[in-house]
Amino acid sequence: MKISDRLARLAAPLERQPWQGLMLLAAALLAAAILQAPNLIAANTSAHGHWVAPWLMWAVSCGVMHGLGFHPRSLPGRLLFCPWLAWPSLLYGLWLTHSYFLP
């Protein structure tokens, strides 16, 4: 069995409709927060380092890809856009930007 097939089996529980919809919603909320209030995660205006903004943007792109049902075929693509890695990142990003949503 190929490694990419193993990764597909690993991500199979998240391929169901409710999880994909929740991931797309979380990615859209985080993208809106990043675009409307970048000072919440920007390195010069917040207490976070330079790595936070690109990491959260990766989480948004992974969440959109998985939420829309796109599945990369290549091994590097499956490793890069693994939904199990994106879920904690999206939740952490939503926690960081909660002041945008809740006054």
Side-chain angles (χ1 to χ4, degrees):
M1 180 178 279
K2 292 182 179 180
I3 295 175
S4 62
D5 294 335
R6 289 183 189 165
L7 286 173
R9 285 180 122 186
L10 181 68
L14 293 177
E15 301 299 328
R16 293 179 176 80
Q17 197 67 22
W19 294 113
Q20 285 182 322
L22 284 173
M23 190 170 226
L24 185 61
L25 179 67
L29 288 173
L30 185 58
I34 289 173
L35 289 172
Q36 294 295 318
N39 58 334
L40 296 174
I41 61 163
N44 292 338
T45 57
S46 71
H48 308 295
H50 290 282
W51 56 272
V52 174
W55 177 44
L56 292 180
M57 288 180 215
W58 163 82
V60 166
S61 64
C62 186
V64 169
M65 285 179 60
H66 179 71
L68 293 177
F70 178 75
H71 308 290
R73 291 186 184 179
S74 66
L75 179 62
R78 286 186 190 250
L79 286 172
L80 185 62
F81 297 109
C82 180
W84 287 106
L85 298 175
W87 261 118
S89 304
L90 282 172
L91 294 176
Y92 179 68
L94 288 173
W95 179 76
L96 281 179
T97 59
H98 74 279
S99 64
Y100 174 72
F101 301 107
L102 303 172

